[in-house]
Amino acid sequence: MTLDLKGEWSEADLAKLIASVNDDRDWRLEVSKDGVASLQDKTANPTGADYDEGLHCYLETWSQGTDFVGPSAAGDKELVGKIGKALRENYPNLKKDKFVYVAL
């Protein structure tokens, strides 16, 4: 599942994205240069400067078992709200760096 940040979206839409995966591996929320947010499996996808250069921005990697993704995380309104705020503050214009830190 993806979330198009160019259009109208709500925290409920973001919660659906967060709920769309299981907390059984490491995940990272990434935003492509064309404004599409998605959760990427970091056990299967490359990370590094070359890969990250192709992104608009990304959040920290959420390690397996930390409850930042999955149905339980999607039900945490405070968590979803903080992530949503960070996305709104950094798309379409980055506030600072490509790495968007969210104090969770």
Side-chain angles (χ1 to χ4, degrees):
M1 179 176 178
T2 61
L3 179 62
D4 188 348
L5 302 180
K6 294 181 301 300
E8 293 291 321
W9 59 275
S10 67
E11 288 184 5
D13 297 321
L14 178 57
K16 287 179 190 174
L17 173 63
I18 292 170
S20 71
V21 299
N22 292 318
D23 191 14
D24 60 354
R25 61 195 76 180
D26 297 349
W27 294 96
R28 185 168 82 168
L29 196 152
E30 301 176 348
V31 178
S32 67
K33 290 203 183 236
D34 62 350
V36 176
S38 62
L39 288 165
Q40 296 297 318
D41 176 356
K42 292 290 90 182
T43 58
N45 291 327
T47 342
D50 291 345
Y51 176 82
D52 292 344
E53 193 58 37
L55 300 172
H56 174 75
C57 65
Y58 56 92
L59 278 62
E60 66 186 280
T61 299
W62 297 318
S63 298
Q64 175 183 348
T66 55
D67 205 29
F68 288 111
V69 296
S72 176
D76 183 337
K77 291 183 188 262
E78 183 178 352
L79 172 67
V80 174
K82 287 180 179 182
I83 295 169
K85 182 179 182 210
L87 289 174
R88 290 186 195 283
E89 288 177 345
N90 287 282
Y91 189 84
N93 300 312
L94 285 174
K95 200 171 169 182
K96 191 176 176 187
D97 299 318
K98 279 184 180 264
F99 171 67
V100 176
Y101 176 74
V102 180
L104 304 172

